Amino acid sequence: MTADQWTRRQVLNTAAGTAALAGTSALMAPGVAQAHGGRPDPRGKLRIIAIEEAVILPGLLTQGTALNGAIPFKPEVTAEWFKRLPDVTEYRLADMDANGVAMQVLSLTPPGVQMQPDTAIAVRDAQVANDALAAIVDAHPTRFGGLAALPLQDPQAAVREARRAMGDLGMAGFLVNGHTNGQYLDEPQFRPVWAALEELGAALYLHPTPAPAGTWGLLKDRPELVGPLYSWAAETGGHALRIILGGVFDDFPGARLIVGHMGEFLPYHAPRLDVQIRNINTRVPLRKKPSEYLRENIAITTSGVMDDTMLQAAIESVGIDNVLFAIDYPFEKSEQAVGFLRGAKLSFHDRRKIAAGNAERILKL
C-alpha cells in the first residue's frame, strides 16, 4: 500500500471525529424530539449516518435502472429521483445539511452491475463504479462513505475487486443488488466471495432488485405489487433466507449480511421459521435456528419503514446492536426518516447506536 493510500484510509477512519466539527452547522438545525420517557433529545448531540443511499455513477457501459421496469411509478416522482440520483453536491449535501445527516454511505442504484449478461463488461463496470465512488469519498471524506459493487458474474474477479476496493480504495463494505442474472448468493460458485468477505471483515448489503424473468401468478394484473410495495421485499427476504438455508453462515461464521427495509419481512417471520424448520428436511443441515443467524450474522436497516411498532419488534428480534439507520435517498424523504429516528421510543444510548454507532462499528467508518 502506498503512502497516499494509507493517508486516505487514515482520513476515512477518523471521519467520525472530523465530521462532528465539519458538520456542526448541519447537526445544530433547530428542533428537538422526545426520547423514551419524555426526555429531550437535542439535535446537536445526535450524529446520523445513513447507509442505503443510492447514486448513479458516470462511465458505466451497463445502462438502465430498476426505475425503468414495469413498476407504475408516477412520472413526476421518477423525474425527481433521476434529478437527484447522479448528484452529490448540489441537492444531496443540501438535503443532508437541512436534516442533520452527518454522512451518507453511497452505493450504486439498482440493479447496478448485477443485470449485466456480459461478464467482461460487468467486471469493467464494477471497477469503474468503484473508482468513481472512491473519488466522491476522497473529495468529501467526512460526508460520504462507499459500498463497492461486486461483479459476481465472475466470482474470482469479484474476489479480486473486493480486495482492491477495501485495500486500495478504502471502501466501507459492499452492496449487491439482489440476484445476479438469476443466480443467488447461496450457490456454490460464490463460496470464494464469502471467504474473502469474511477474511476482509467486510459487510455485504443485500439490496432489492427486480426478480428474474418469469411468471409469478400472484402478480398477474397487479403491477402495483411489483417493486417496493411487495415483491422486492419478498424477493430480497427470500434471498437472505436462501443464504441462511444454504449454510453460508455455518461455513463462514464471521460473515456479515445487511438487509434493508426493516429486514425485508424476516424479523417478523423469525418465530415461524424456528418452528417450521424442525418439520422440514433441509438440503443443508443447519447448526442453529434461523433466528440465531438473524441475531449473529445479519443486520437490518430502517430504510423506508418509519414506524415505531415495527422498529421495536425488529429490535426484539435481531437485537439493538444489529439495527442501523438508513434513508433510502432519494427514494424516501430525509425529513420523514430523520424525524422518525429522532421521535422513536428509544433511550439516548440506543438511539445513538441506531443513528451512527452500529454503522461505525460494522462498516468501520
Side-chain angles (χ1 to χ4, degrees):
M1 184 176 296
T2 67
D4 287 343
Q5 291 163 356
W6 176 244
T7 299
R8 179 183 179 278
R9 295 189 72 190
Q10 285 179 313
V11 169
L12 288 172
N13 290 335
T14 58
T18 306
L21 297 176
T24 298
S25 61
L27 298 177
M28 292 299 291
V32 297
Q34 293 298 309
H36 184 54
R39 293 169 292 175
D41 183 14
R43 269 194 168 187
K45 294 184 179 180
L46 187 66
R47 174 170 165 79
I48 299 176
I49 299 175
I51 76 161
E52 186 191 321
E53 316 312 317
V55 64
I56 288 177
L57 297 168
L60 303 186
L61 297 178
T62 303
Q63 299 297 314
T65 75
L67 305 183
N68 292 330
I71 308 169
F73 290 121
K74 296 177 179 179
E76 64 271 21
V77 173
T78 56
E80 182 67 19
W81 290 343
F82 278 121
K83 181 180 77 172
R84 291 176 177 271
L85 278 166
D87 167 73
V88 174
T89 57
E90 183 178 358
Y91 304 112
R92 193 179 300 258
L93 280 176
D95 183 275
M96 292 166 63
D97 290 345
N99 292 286
V101 177
M103 177 180 284
Q104 281 191 3
V105 181
L106 306 176
S107 54
L108 187 60
T109 192
V113 301
Q114 263 59 65
M115 66 178 285
Q116 177 54 250
D118 188 306
T119 297
I121 292 177
V123 172
R124 179 261 183 201
D125 274 2
Q127 294 170 346
V128 170
N130 295 338
D131 286 342
L133 193 53
I136 293 171
V137 176
D138 275 339
H140 308 276
T142 65
R143 304 308 304 274
F144 297 118
L147 297 178
L150 287 176
L152 294 175
Q153 291 86 340
D154 182 342
Q156 292 301 326
V159 169
R160 291 192 295 272
E161 185 60 16
R163 297 189 186 282
R164 186 181 80 94
M166 295 295 289
D168 296 345
L169 301 182
M171 294 288 98
F174 300 92
L175 184 140
V176 168
N177 284 295
H179 64 90
T180 301
N181 296 319
Q183 295 181 325
Y184 292 87
L185 282 161
D186 62 303
E187 297 178 25
Q189 66 269 27
F190 298 123
R191 283 311 200 260
V193 177
W194 284 110
L197 294 175
E198 183 182 49
E199 178 188 340
L200 292 166
L204 176 66
Y205 203 123
L206 183 61
H207 190 275
T209 203
T215 301
W216 186 4
L218 178 69
L219 307 180
K220 181 183 178 182
D221 300 325
R222 277 285 168 248
E224 306 96 323
L225 290 176
V226 178
L229 204 62
Y230 178 74
S231 69
W232 283 1
E235 165 79 11
T236 309
H239 192 163
L241 194 53
R242 284 185 64 120
I243 293 169
I244 291 174
L245 295 175
V248 169
F249 298 130
D250 286 340
D251 292 343
F252 308 101
R256 170 71 79 165
L257 187 72
I258 304 176
V259 181
H261 311 107
M262 214 68 88
E264 310 287 10
F265 301 155
L266 289 178
Y268 319 105
H269 197 48
R272 183 162 173 79
L273 295 176
D274 284 351
V275 169
Q276 290 302 316
I277 201 71
R278 299 196 299 262
N279 302 326
I280 295 171
N281 285 321
T282 58
R283 294 179 63 184
V284 178
L286 298 179
R287 298 173 189 167
K288 303 174 184 177
K289 296 185 294 186
S291 63
E292 293 178 283
Y293 298 106
L294 279 174
R295 295 185 72 91
E296 296 172 16
N297 297 98
I298 295 178
I300 70 172
T301 77
T302 62
S303 55
V305 183
M306 292 161 278
D307 180 88
D308 198 62
T309 300
M310 297 297 101
L311 175 62
Q312 300 304 325
I315 291 171
E316 184 68 23
S317 179
V318 305
I320 187 63
D321 292 330
N322 293 320
V323 181
L324 298 81
F325 177 71
I327 296 170
D328 206 357
Y329 178 95
F331 307 117
E332 302 287 348
K333 299 295 186 184
S334 300
E335 180 180 7
Q336 185 179 4
V338 172
F340 158 67
L341 173 65
R342 295 189 183 281
K345 294 178 181 178
L346 298 166
S347 68
F348 293 151
H349 180 67
D350 286 351
R351 195 188 314 278
R352 285 195 293 266
K353 281 189 173 186
I354 294 175
N358 291 339
E360 290 168 341
R361 173 175 49 83
I362 294 173
L363 298 178
K364 301 176 179 66
L365 294 171

